Amino acid sequence: MAHYDVIILGAGAAGMMAAIEAGKRGRTVLLVDHVQYAGEKIRISGGGRCNFTNVNATVEIGRDRFLSQNPRFALSALSRYTPENFIALVRRHGITFHEKVLGQLFCDGPATQINTMLLGEMREAGVAFSFSTNVEAVEKTETGFSVRFASGYATSDSLIIATGGKSIPKMGATSFGYQVATQFGLRVTETRPALVPLTFETGALERLKELAGIATDAIVSHGKTKFEEALLFTHRGLSGPAILQISSYWREGDSISVDLMPNASAMDFLRAARTATPKLQVQTIIANALPKRLAQLLGDELDMHTMIGDFPDKKLAIVEAKLKAWSLKPVGSEGYRTAEVTLGGVDTRDLDAKTMAARAVPGLYFVGEVVDVTGWLGGYNFQWAWASGWAAGQAA
């Protein structure tokens, strides 16, 4: 049996950050994971370039970009460990990066640079690793915790759960963290796939199948929430950044609205076409603004086969509504298999926002995706991982 000041279960972004910070404080730390390598989600993120943070994550406009039953919970950790803090770490290791759109920062080189950086920081902080190690049981002791593995067990004063959510099970995702929370009496909110492609029923798929592979800029809305980014038609339904974003808000039975001419007046476009090319049909006109196959489908749905020169404004308004508020009704999502994150998790009412500690279980902490905090696409979830891991590492 070995004893540590801190045992951390989960070697993802949040777990490694917690290990680094606890180790830097002189704590003896053991980091455990059932997978073979640390930071597997980091490795595949951002198309292999790792969108490691977003510069807007902690400024005022970014504060509403974290979903939770208590959206304010995340602000304490995020305000104390900001994107600038992580950027400084990246710079110190000589990792070059660039900003794409909407404040998203990506490595110039492979995402594995971030893993190498974090592993190096952990070694420097004296952190012990144990990978390919399955946890069989976690128990509370009089002085801390006991964690049993197939090969034995270890004890600790503090225990940090950084096991993530259910998303991308092929990368090793499990519901273990939620089970530990329940075991110790913490509440767990409803969990569901988020940042995930949406799917359609067979009839709608048959109608949309010719569009597979087409991408176009759009504003996708659900209620008052809207995202202006790329939309991608797939053989299962819809994907692309705009759809992944709205998936965190969409619920089964709801429709979404798609504006296919963002920041443009469809009525002005149609009236100009009526004057300039009165003998063309509407789908031909639409094809001047949208991909041809998409224009053909919209034209078929409109079922207006007369020349646009014969359209009164009332009829143009019907076309305008199709272009600016195309209503689609997904039946589901691709699920945890392709979801980038899990929405919901350990209830923030049972955690201390400053330290990430369980209020009723001294020495127990939850960080990262396992907590009911989910960020927008574009580096927000990594920033939450760094910040929550940092907060727990300062206290455990």
Side-chain angles (χ1 to χ4, degrees), residues 216 260-261 269 284-291 295 323:
T216 187
L260 293 164
M261 295 183 66
F269 167 76
T284 305
I285 298 299
I286 296 173
N288 290 325
L290 299 175
L323 294 173

Side-chain angles (χ1 to χ4, degrees), residues 18-352:
I20 291 166
E21 293 304 316
K24 284 163 61 176
R25 292 172 49 234
R27 308 283 279 167
T28 57
V29 181
L30 172 65
L31 180 69
V32 180
D33 206 309
H34 68 289
V35 298
Q36 188 175 1
Y37 303 105
E40 282 293 84
K41 275 194 173 181
I42 296 174
R43 181 179 62 81
I44 68 168
S45 68
R49 297 290 184 181
C50 188
N51 178 194
F52 57 83
T53 193
N54 192 298
V55 297
N56 296 315
T58 55
V59 299
E60 187 171 354
I61 61 171
R63 292 176 182 176
D64 295 327
R65 297 178 180 178
F66 293 89
L67 287 72
S68 171
Q69 288 194 356
N70 176 13
R72 311 297 294 177
F73 176 86
L75 299 184
S76 176
L78 289 167
S79 65
R80 289 179 294 126
Y81 192 87
T82 67
E84 288 72 22
N85 293 122
F86 195 79
I87 291 168
L89 179 62
V90 168
R91 290 187 189 278
R92 194 161 69 245
H93 282 259
I95 298 172
T96 57
F97 59 90
H98 59 280
E99 182 175 338
K100 281 195 174 179
V101 295
L102 306 174
Q104 303 170 16
L105 300 188
F106 290 78
C107 296
D108 290 343
T112 50
Q113 295 175 103
I114 300 296
N115 279 335
T116 299
M117 174 189 79
L118 295 170
L119 287 165
E121 288 284 320
M122 286 195 293
R123 291 190 182 97
E124 187 175 335
V127 175
F129 316 140
S130 184
F131 299 138
S132 300
T133 301
N134 289 313
V135 175
E136 296 186 346
V138 174
E139 297 177 356
K140 188 78 175 71
T141 66
E142 289 186 6
T143 57
F145 299 87
S146 174
V147 182
R148 189 172 76 241
F149 315 109
S151 57
Y153 67 97
T155 59
S156 65
D157 300 327
S158 298
L159 178 66
I160 299 177
I161 306 299
T163 49
K166 303 175 184 177
S167 56
I168 318 183
K170 71 177 182 180
M171 304 297 293
T174 72
S175 59
F176 179 81
Y178 310 131
Q179 295 167 12
V180 173
T182 301
Q183 174 187 338
F184 286 105
L186 280 74
R187 291 165 287 191
V188 177
T189 69
E190 176 194 7
T191 56
R192 56 185 291 118
L195 301 183
V196 63
L198 299 177
T199 58
F200 292 92
E201 50 86 17
T202 305
L205 278 180
E206 183 65 24
R207 181 167 53 89
L208 296 171
K209 67 179 182 180
E210 296 300 321
L211 303 182
I214 289 177
T216 187
D217 290 335
I219 297 175
V220 179
S221 305
H222 176 269
K224 295 181 179 180
T225 304
K226 60 180 63 179
F227 294 96
E228 181 181 353
E229 294 189 67
L231 177 152
L232 172 68
F233 293 90
T234 73
H235 63 285
R236 292 190 181 93
L238 292 174
S239 188
I243 294 297
L244 298 186
Q245 295 278 38
I246 212 68
S247 72
S248 296
Y249 297 84
W250 173 83
R251 293 293 180 270
E252 288 77 1
D254 294 348
S255 296
I256 59 174
S257 178
V258 180
D259 178 351
L260 293 164
M261 295 183 66
N263 305 309
S265 169
M267 183 58 81
D268 288 349
F269 167 76
L270 293 169
R271 283 174 175 160
R274 183 175 60 185
T275 300
T277 53
K279 295 185 178 181
L280 295 183
Q281 292 192 338
V282 68
Q283 56 262 49
T284 305
I285 298 299
I286 296 173
N288 290 325
L290 299 175
K292 186 175 180 180
R293 281 182 288 163
L294 176 56
Q296 182 64 53
L297 180 133
L298 295 173
D300 290 343
E301 288 191 357
L302 287 164
D303 195 24
M304 296 177 176
H305 301 293
T306 56
M307 295 181 294
I308 195 170
D310 297 330
F311 281 32
D313 278 0
K314 187 174 181 179
K315 204 169 183 179
L316 287 184
I318 297 173
V319 182
E320 177 192 35
K322 180 68 70 172
L323 294 173
K324 298 295 288 184
W326 186 26
S327 181
L328 295 169
K329 192 171 185 178
V331 294
S333 75
E334 291 189 7
Y336 291 115
R337 182 181 65 84
T338 58
E340 296 200 13
V341 292
T342 302
L343 191 69
V346 178
D347 198 319
T348 58
R349 290 177 295 178
D350 296 333
L351 301 177
D352 182 284

